[in-house]
Every structure is written in C-alpha cells, then in structure tokens.
Amino acid sequence: MSTGTDPSRGALHRLRVIDASTLFAGPMAAMHLGDMGADVIKVEHPDRPDPSRSHGVSRDGVNLWWKTLGRNKRAITVNLSSDGGRDVFLRLVETADVVIENFRPGTLERWGLGPDVLLAANPRLVLARVTGFGQFGPMKARAGFGTLAEAMSGFAATTGAPDGPPTLPPFGLADGIASLSTAYAIMVALHAREATGEGQVVDTAIIEPILAMLGPQITRWDQLGTVQPRTGNRSVNNAPRNTYRTADGSWVAVSTSAQSIAERVMRLVGRPELIDEPWFASGADRALHADELDDAVGGWITERTRAEVIAAFEEAQAAVAPIYDAHDIVEDPQFRALGTIHEIDDPELGPMLMQGPLFRLSRHEGVIAHTGRTHGRDTDAVLADLGLDADAVARLREEGAV
C-alpha cells in the first residue's frame, strides 16, 4: 500500500485535461490520465454536480465512489450555458491539451462551444466526445448508458446460464472499457499532434469498445451463420473451465486453455485415463465433454479446502485461482507485492483504501495525490490562475456563471 504521491513524478505531469463529463466513462478516462500525473480540472455545473457524487454507497453522508473517480482532479464549477461561463470555459480551453465531454450531440454546439469554436481557441486541443451512441446515426440523440451498451454489444446475450436470461454485470463494465478506449484514443491523438501540430476530435461511442472486447462474434456470424450461446462459467473453446466449491465453502476457478495444463489437471484429480480419450486432444472437443470433466474436477475439489486445492494445483503447475471478494484482495500477498491497493488520507473520512493506477512504468510513478474533492473546492484558485481577480469572480458568481 502507498500514500499520496507527488503529481510532478507522473509521466503526464505537463498535460492539462479539462474533464467536463459526468457519470462514468468520461470521468474515468480523465481519472486514468490523472493517475499518470496529468493536471485534471473537473468542471461541474454550480447547482447540479456530477451525479456520480451521489452514486452508490456512502459513509457518514460522504459518497465513496466519487473519492476514487474524482481523485487527482481539481474541482471547479462553471455554467457552460451562460455567457460568463462560456467565456471562462474558453479561457480554460486556451490553457488545455485535452477536453473530455459527454453531453448529448449538439449540446456544446448549442452553447456556442462546438468543436469549431474550441479548436479555433486552441488549435492544438484534443476534444474527446464520449456518448452512448456516437456523434452520428439515428440513435445519436438518445440517452446512453453502459447498461444499454452491455445489451446492444452482445455481451448480455452471451452471459449467464444456458437456460437463464441474458445477464448484465453488477458494475459499469461498458463504461470502464470505454474509459480505457477513450484514454488510449486521447494519447493517440496527442502523439499525432506531435507530428502535425494540430489537435482533433475523438468520438467514442460506448456501444463500440465493449463490442471489440467480445472476440470474433461478428466474424463467426458472417462466416458460419451462428451466434455464440450462453454457457454460464463454461467455455465453448476448452474444458474443464468452471468455478468449483471447496470443502470449506470457498470457491476457485480453473482454466485449461493450454493442452498441457488440461493434462496436468486430470492427472492431479486422479483421472489420467481421460487424457487418452480421442476427444481430449482438442479444447473444443473437451468442451463437448464438459459434464464428465466437471464431475471429475469438481468431485476432487469439493473434498479439499481452498488452501489445499491451491497448493496442489501450484505443485502440479496447473492453473487455478481463488475467487476473491474485496477483503481477500486487500489481504492477498500478490496484490501487496504489486502495490495495487493504495492508502490515501482523505480530509473528510481519513485514511482510505482504493485500487491504484492500472500499470507501472519503470521511470515514472503512478499518482494518487488526493481523493475526489468537494464540489467546486478549487474554483477560486483555478480562476485566479486564469487571471481573474476577486471582483471578477464575484460578478461571475452573481450571474450564476460559476
């Protein structure tokens, strides 16, 4: 575990990002950039904060999800639909490398802040637009959330038990994937800017990145005319592959994607004769005999504790993992060795744990300088940096612009 880190040690510490998005995909993309040291300025409406501030569980009235999603961000309030707020936002844009927004298509344009205006104010700007369905097409104006992307992408159709309904994840999977895609697209656009000197617009439709993660289902339908079925925890590509309950009531997951691993597992569970079956040499053919293989593996595992199962699989050099909850993750020695969990001192709630940046760089540190800040906490400081004195800020407040 680690504590707050100096942002100047991050690889992106000279990058300025304006996060004008709400809820998850856009703000999470900004969070990823902030984790690498970017100066992220979170722009929210003065009277209508980002709804993620009230999403999910709280402690003592303080939202916990926001503490992670808003980390490393300076929080300011600007009413983009007002004349004064528009002027403030354009001043910010002139100083920025990146703007991330997720208003419905046409909203920025209606406020006089469309891509043409923003790129005129700062030709080197990368404007990332994150919406449910993209900037074009018949659905562009619809409200778009990750749940709809999980439905339309084919994810839900292939998830769940064979005899059960399509299943949605209990967290923002599509939003998270879209956030990674957006952060990647922003870095691609910034790299292109190094060659051309010009910024450009990134268009992320949340329905697309999750589709790209689901494998060749489109190609399969095109070439074979079939769709991937729901198979629960099983795979159509190999077996045994499932979750299994141990003698002490825990669960483990077993994977046999490699032929050698499948053979080691069958020897371990005392069924080496199955290796000699003609169908065992192919992962797809093994999947057709999943009932028999699951009975063999599950029967062996159910007679042993989780610790005994893990130790035996490790000795046999077979692939197994315990199924963890949050408590297990915090205590796990591998996550501890990686420094995955960070302890950050929060001014409202005191020390708190959260997952850290996604990866490590050999020459730069990942950054969690602070947790998500209160609504508008940094407005005066950021406006002062833009050259606005106290009287000008007071007038903007009277107008409802900030």
Side-chain angles (χ1 to χ4, degrees):
M1 299 181 190
S2 61
T3 57
T5 310
D6 179 3
S8 68
R9 302 184 70 173
L12 301 180
H13 75 278
R14 298 185 186 278
L15 196 73
R16 172 167 284 188
V17 178
I18 310 302
D19 176 14
S21 59
T22 59
L23 289 174
F24 305 116
M28 197 177 296
M31 183 197 78
H32 294 316
L33 299 177
D35 284 353
M36 292 296 111
D39 173 24
V40 182
I41 300 175
K42 174 71 176 180
V43 175
E44 298 173 86
H45 192 280
D47 303 320
R48 297 189 296 274
D50 187 332
S52 65
R53 288 182 178 272
S54 59
H55 188 86
V57 297
S58 299
R59 175 188 160 204
D60 299 334
V62 178
N63 180 262
L64 299 181
W65 181 211
W66 173 252
K67 291 299 181 181
T68 297
L69 190 63
R71 70 191 188 194
N72 297 322
K73 300 179 183 182
R74 293 192 282 167
I76 72 170
T77 58
V78 182
N79 181 355
L80 301 184
S81 64
S82 69
D83 290 340
R86 177 182 181 277
D87 292 341
V88 168
F89 191 71
L90 286 174
R91 285 190 182 223
L92 276 173
V93 167
E94 290 172 356
T95 72
D97 297 284
V98 178
V99 169
I100 302 174
E101 65 94 6
N102 69 337
F103 301 104
R104 293 196 196 190
T107 301
L108 279 186
E109 289 82 351
R110 189 171 68 251
W111 292 337
L113 292 169
D116 56 337
V117 175
L118 299 184
L119 288 168
N122 181 353
R124 291 175 56 82
L125 181 73
V126 172
L127 172 61
R129 316 192 77 177
V130 185
T131 57
F133 306 106
Q135 298 295 315
F136 311 97
M139 297 181 68
K140 69 178 183 180
R142 293 190 187 181
F145 299 100
T147 297
L148 308 186
E150 289 146 11
M152 288 182 63
S153 65
F155 173 84
T158 59
T159 304
D163 56 351
T167 302
L168 296 168
F171 62 97
L173 177 63
D175 284 295
I177 295 173
S179 78
L180 293 169
S181 301
T182 301
Y184 166 63
I186 287 169
M187 298 310 297
V188 170
L190 290 171
H191 178 74
R193 189 180 72 174
E194 294 302 305
T196 66
E198 297 177 344
Q200 59 183 299
V201 178
V202 170
D203 178 10
T204 299
I206 299 175
I207 59 174
E208 290 183 304
I210 186 172
L211 174 60
M213 297 297 105
L214 294 177
Q217 61 172 334
I218 301 301
T219 306
R220 169 179 173 162
W221 177 82
D222 173 62
Q223 296 295 308
L224 301 177
T226 62
V227 298
Q228 182 175 329
R230 288 191 292 280
T231 57
N233 291 324
R234 289 177 171 176
S235 169
V236 296
N237 301 312
N238 63 81
R241 190 264 197 181
N242 214 325
T243 59
Y244 306 93
R245 191 178 180 92
T246 62
D248 54 353
S250 298
W251 291 84
V252 296
V254 172
S255 175
T256 57
S257 295
Q259 179 68 24
S260 60
I261 298 296
E263 294 175 5
R264 291 171 190 169
V265 169
M266 301 322 297
R267 293 190 185 99
L268 173 64
V269 302
R271 297 296 303 276
E273 75 280 2
L274 293 177
I275 300 173
D276 297 326
E277 294 287 346
W279 48 263
F280 196 89
S282 161
D285 286 341
R286 291 201 309 274
L288 297 176
H289 293 78
D291 286 342
E292 183 176 1
L293 295 173
D294 273 347
D295 286 345
V297 176
W300 184 90
I301 287 177
T302 196
E303 296 176 351
R304 292 161 176 82
T305 67
R306 185 173 80 176
E308 291 170 338
V309 171
I310 298 294
F313 268 72
E314 288 182 354
E315 184 177 357
Q317 298 184 44
V320 69
I323 293 179
Y324 277 171
D325 60 20
H327 171 77
D328 297 317
I329 293 168
V330 170
E331 298 298 326
D332 181 75
Q334 181 61 32
F335 284 121
R336 285 180 177 270
L338 293 172
T340 304
I341 308 302
H342 291 230
E343 182 177 88
I344 310 297
D345 190 35
D346 179 73
E348 295 181 279
L349 297 176
M352 63 170 47
L353 301 181
M354 63 180 62
Q355 58 269 45
L358 296 173
F359 51 82
R360 288 158 296 282
L361 299 176
S362 63
R363 296 183 61 183
H364 294 88
E365 292 186 13
V367 176
I368 302 182
H370 56 78
T371 58
R373 289 178 165 171
T374 54
H375 183 230
R377 177 194 182 279
D378 303 292
T379 301
D380 288 355
V382 172
L383 296 184
D385 288 344
L386 295 176
L388 297 171
D389 60 25
D391 290 340
V393 174
R395 287 193 297 271
L396 288 168
R397 280 208 168 91
E398 289 177 6
E399 298 168 9
V402 299

